Amino acid sequence: MSQKAGVHSLEGFNVIGSGIYFRGTREPCQDTTLPNVILIFGWMGAQLRHLQNYTHAYTKLYPNASQIVVRCNPDVFWTTTSTRQRRLMPVIDALEALHCFPSSSSTQPPPRIITHVFSNGGSLQMTLLGNMLQRKYGSTLIQRFITSALILDSCPAIGNLKTIKLAFSVVIRNPILRVIVLTMIYTMHFIGLALSLVLGKRIMLMENLRIEMWNPRVLPWMDLHTPRLYLFSRKDKLIPWQDVTQHAETAKERGMDARCELFEESEHVAHIRVEPERYWASVQDIWAAAISKEKVKDQRLLE
């Protein structure tokens, strides 16, 4: 029996790894004002039928852009780093095949990349990939006039035990398994808190994540001038809008081009359900800002 698209697979995508999906294009994108690579990091436990809402929209907006989708399983919070890195290796392979790195053919034009990240789960996956790429290539090698934009949907936030419970209650329906998982998470939380107090270092996972997200080169093709868009809502029960606002304001204070789009009525990672036109207009606007910055940079090089 064939798989139903949107439930067990992403329509038009190939599975290239555990929770990793790739959609290539028949023709390369010749228009240098449009992105040709779209990298999507889904939220924890995101179902494919929900992620497909975004892949379909991107296909309509940018039909000649290749897409990579990275899912986030709940075990990302307790799986070893080496295991998580091994799972992300197909993403690096796909990016290399798309000529995103110096080891690729020098005759290829620099890529134009949109990175779209959902919630803290997606943020964890993105920052880990960034660390892997930094170790493999180094930021100075990759930074070669790559046009890029970063979109942060419903993230980041520090999180607390209440929001952690809510997040896992949504993802894990089995009540017995939920109790087991939450017990593990609570234990890890309190151990981290105790070690932070004893050692005088911040080793809390979500706090470290927020700090990493302030890195202007959180992915090595980005820099201080890469426009980043924060999409969030006052009604989000998992990611307090005040946390996101504070993160964006700090990013601005550090010289980053951070922009905010605050929704009033949408739930967590559900802004496109309430205001899809506004959502995708914001995505196109942030890409236009990235293109504008690249043109200014090119003009300065010619002077």
Side-chain angles (χ1 to χ4, degrees):
M1 185 171 63
S2 62
Q3 292 181 326
K4 183 180 178 182
V7 176
H8 302 292
S9 64
L10 279 176
E11 184 179 354
F13 283 73
N14 293 318
V15 179
I16 60 173
S18 177
I20 313 294
Y21 304 82
F22 176 76
R23 175 188 177 275
T25 58
R26 295 180 180 178
E27 298 180 5
C29 182
Q30 301 295 339
D31 189 340
T32 57
T33 66
L34 299 178
N36 59 3
V37 178
I38 297 170
L39 181 57
I40 300 173
F41 293 91
W43 61 95
M44 183 182 70
Q47 298 181 34
L48 290 177
R49 62 188 178 90
H50 294 146
L51 292 174
Q52 194 162 258
N53 293 328
Y54 300 91
T55 60
H56 277 175
Y58 270 124
T59 300
K60 290 180 180 179
L61 285 174
Y62 310 116
N64 291 323
S66 298
Q67 297 183 41
I68 304 170
V69 176
V70 183
R71 299 182 77 182
C72 176
N73 293 322
D75 67 359
V76 71
F77 288 92
W78 60 81
T79 302
T80 63
T81 301
S82 60
T83 298
R84 291 171 55 211
Q85 289 176 335
R86 187 169 63 252
R87 291 176 180 173
L88 287 177
M89 282 305 301
V91 180
I92 297 179
D93 294 339
L95 290 171
E96 288 177 341
L98 293 171
H99 310 290
C100 291
F101 305 126
S103 60
S104 303
S105 173
S106 59
T107 62
Q108 295 293 330
R112 303 176 299 279
I113 307 173
I114 289 179
T115 306
H116 200 139
V117 183
F118 293 90
S119 196
N120 284 341
S123 300
L124 283 170
Q125 296 282 70
M126 179 190 67
T127 53
L128 179 60
L129 178 68
N131 291 333
M132 293 169 66
L133 292 174
Q134 291 282 7
R135 286 194 297 271
K136 185 171 184 178
Y137 291 102
S139 58
T140 55
L141 291 177
I142 296 181
Q143 191 62 34
R144 50 180 184 124
F145 308 112
I146 294 177
T147 306
S148 68
L150 175 60
I151 300 169
L152 302 171
D153 186 319
S154 307
C155 62
I158 298 174
N160 52 44
L161 292 180
K162 180 180 178 181
T163 58
I164 290 172
K165 181 179 179 181
L166 281 172
F168 279 91
S169 296
V170 171
V171 175
I172 303 176
R173 300 294 184 179
N174 185 303
I176 298 177
L177 181 59
R178 187 190 309 151
V179 169
I180 294 173
V181 170
L182 286 175
T183 300
M184 291 173 55
I185 295 296
Y186 288 172
T187 301
M188 292 169 59
H189 179 85
F190 287 115
I191 290 175
L193 179 60
L195 290 175
S196 296
L197 294 174
V198 171
L199 301 177
K201 296 181 180 180
R202 284 180 174 150
I203 59 174
M204 303 298 288
L205 181 61
M206 291 299 100
E207 179 63 21
N208 282 342
L209 175 64
R210 278 172 60 83
I211 294 171
E212 284 194 73
M213 296 282 280
W214 278 315
N215 179 4
R217 298 202 179 198
V218 62
L219 287 172
W221 54 75
M222 298 178 183
D223 61 21
L224 196 66
H225 305 292
T226 299
R228 52 171 61 193
L229 173 64
Y230 293 81
L231 300 160
F232 55 110
S233 174
R234 293 185 193 274
K235 284 197 172 181
D236 192 332
K237 297 177 182 177
L238 298 181
I239 304 293
W241 66 271
Q242 297 93 334
D243 282 9
V244 181
T245 299
Q246 182 187 35
H247 197 276
E249 291 299 326
T250 301
K252 291 178 183 178
E253 292 170 1
R254 298 185 179 189
M256 286 176 258
D257 182 1
R259 310 172 187 210
C260 294
E261 195 71 29
L262 176 60
F263 295 82
E264 298 292 337
E265 300 296 329
S266 49
E267 300 292 339
H268 186 61
V269 296
H271 316 309
I272 62 167
R273 297 182 192 174
V274 180
E275 297 185 72
E277 295 83 6
R278 178 185 173 192
Y279 188 96
W280 290 109
S282 299
V283 169
Q284 293 176 82
D285 287 345
I286 202 67
W287 181 251
I291 290 295
S292 177
K293 285 176 175 289
E294 200 60 33
K295 288 181 178 178
V296 170
K297 187 186 294 184
D298 289 342
Q299 289 174 356
R300 288 176 179 173
L301 289 174
L302 295 174
E303 292 176 355

